[in-house]
Amino acid sequence: QQREALGSLFQFGQGPGMIAANQQIQGGGSLLNQGVSNVGQASQGLFGMANQDPTQANIQAAGQYADNPYISGQVDAAMRDSVRNYTEGVAPQLTRNESISGNLNSSRGGVARGIAERGLQDQAGDISSQLRGQAYQQGISQASADRGQNLQALQSAGTLGTQAAASGLSGLSAGTNTGIASGQAAQGAADSIQALDQQAIDNQLAKYEYNQQFPWQALNNYYGIVGDKSWGSSSTGFTKGKTQASPLSTAGTIIGAASSLFKSDRRSKEALVDLDLRSHGVPLYAYRYIGDPRTWIGPMAQDVAEVNPEAVVSVDGVLHIDIRRLH
């Protein structure tokens, strides 16, 4: 379960986690670039407006309103009745008057016509001046309003650009943090998997070392009981010294105080480990009696029977070794 969980975490850190981080970084970078571009354009527009003469710019814009070609049509429409009155009423009447007085095509008739036409021209000029003045005033107001709107638009663009850039930086930071967290998660999972593997290796090594050391430790424990007590002695000639007794002789000496027989039937033992040692021509084992947790060192009665049958005795069907008959 730990391996499955760690494996899933590792796969997420290397896969979806990194994909999410890259998407955040790409989105943040796009927002940042767009925001910086908007701020730059807004700044250029503001600098451009700051370098202009606002009065001259408003006058120029208002002049375009006053010079509107549609005003001429408005003047013509306003003069329609006056022109019609002149052409259909005043001019024919002047002609009739000249004919009646005998002054047809005279200078007096020309002067009268000139005065009437001048009145029409003055009226047209007044109407044109009034219309163009109104258009100019509207142009001044509209130019000022347009300049304010342009200024506000540039400021808004700069604000939006700044916000976009800030969001882009946040996205980049979030993507970077996501990538780091994903990498750390994958690394942590990998380290934990390695630790699990190392635990398994350590367990196997501990088992191996235990199996290697167990027989020697058991033998060392046995030697600590009987091996360093200098059981038995012998002397020759004028010198006297101590001899090291064999494990079986030592065991016989200890057991002999109560009985010369000790149970050594292979069938009564378990967990046998061959110590690769021999005594009296038979191998020695580390073992436990069935139902007894203690560890012992000694031979199997079946092995002793092969080399020294008289030293093996059956008691109630269980083989025992008679220490006194060992040779």
Side-chain angles (χ1 to χ4, degrees):
Q1 290 176 347
Q2 285 180 318
R3 286 182 178 277
E4 290 178 0
L6 292 172
S8 298
L9 180 59
F10 178 81
Q11 294 297 331
F12 177 83
Q14 291 292 304
M18 286 300 178
I19 292 175
N22 290 332
Q23 290 176 344
Q24 288 177 315
I25 290 174
Q26 291 176 359
S30 178
L31 274 177
L32 177 60
N33 292 335
Q34 186 63 44
V36 171
S37 176
N38 289 347
V39 171
Q41 293 176 359
S43 298
Q44 291 179 356
L46 291 172
F47 282 127
M49 292 185 66
N51 291 328
Q52 289 180 350
D53 183 352
T55 302
Q56 183 62 35
N58 289 342
I59 290 174
Q60 184 177 357
Q64 293 178 354
Y65 281 93
D67 292 336
N68 185 352
Y70 297 103
I71 291 181
S72 297
Q74 293 176 350
V75 172
D76 292 339
M79 290 292 297
R80 184 181 298 115
D81 293 339
S82 297
V83 171
R84 182 180 296 171
N85 180 59
Y86 173 77
T87 57
E88 295 178 0
V90 175
Q93 183 63 41
L94 290 174
T95 301
R96 285 193 297 271
N97 293 337
E98 290 175 358
S99 298
I100 293 173
S101 61
N103 294 320
L104 187 64
N105 294 327
S106 65
S107 59
R108 181 179 295 178
V111 170
R113 292 177 183 278
I115 292 173
E117 292 177 353
R118 185 181 62 184
L120 289 175
Q121 293 175 354
D122 290 343
Q123 184 180 0
D126 292 341
I127 293 174
S128 176
S129 176
Q130 182 180 2
L131 291 176
R132 294 185 186 279
Q134 292 176 351
Y136 181 82
Q137 291 299 325
Q138 292 177 353
I140 288 290
S141 299
Q142 189 62 44
S144 298
D146 290 344
R147 186 176 182 84
Q149 291 178 352
N150 291 337
L151 179 61
Q152 184 177 1
L154 290 174
Q155 291 174 341
S156 298
T159 300
L160 290 175
T162 301
Q163 293 174 349
S167 298
L169 286 174
S170 297
L172 288 174
S173 178
T176 301
N177 291 335
T178 300
I180 292 174
S182 298
Q184 290 176 342
Q187 182 63 48
D191 291 342
S192 297
I193 292 174
Q194 183 182 27
L196 289 177
D197 292 340
Q198 187 61 48
Q199 287 179 4
I201 294 173
D202 292 343
N203 289 338
Q204 292 297 326
L205 179 60
K207 290 180 180 179
Y208 172 79
E209 291 179 345
Y210 175 80
N211 290 331
Q212 291 296 314
Q213 297 297 325
F214 169 76
W216 300 106
Q217 183 62 43
L219 184 61
N220 184 66
N221 293 340
Y222 177 75
Y223 180 79
I225 296 174
V226 299
D228 61 348
K229 301 301 185 295
S230 301
W231 303 100
S233 63
S234 62
S235 61
T236 301
F238 297 99
T239 62
K240 182 171 60 176
K242 297 179 181 179
T243 60
Q244 189 71 31
S246 69
L248 289 182
S249 299
T250 302
T253 303
I254 298 173
I255 298 173
S259 172
S260 62
L261 300 180
F262 73 96
K263 183 172 63 174
S264 188
D265 196 321
R266 185 188 299 270
R267 295 170 297 178
S268 64
K269 303 174 181 179
E270 61 181 0
L272 273 67
V273 177
D274 191 344
L275 300 180
D276 197 21
L277 297 173
R278 304 184 74 83
S279 177
H280 291 77
V282 295
L284 296 179
Y285 297 86
Y287 60 87
R288 293 195 303 269
Y289 286 106
I290 297 175
D292 187 348
R294 295 174 295 177
T295 300
W296 303 86
I297 300 293
M300 299 296 108
Q302 286 83 349
D303 295 336
V304 175
E306 292 181 1
V307 298
N308 194 358
E310 64 273 16
V312 177
V313 178
S314 176
V315 179
D316 296 329
V318 179
L319 298 181
H320 290 66
I321 296 176
D322 187 349
I323 299 300
R324 296 172 302 176
R325 298 183 181 182
L326 285 176
H327 57 79

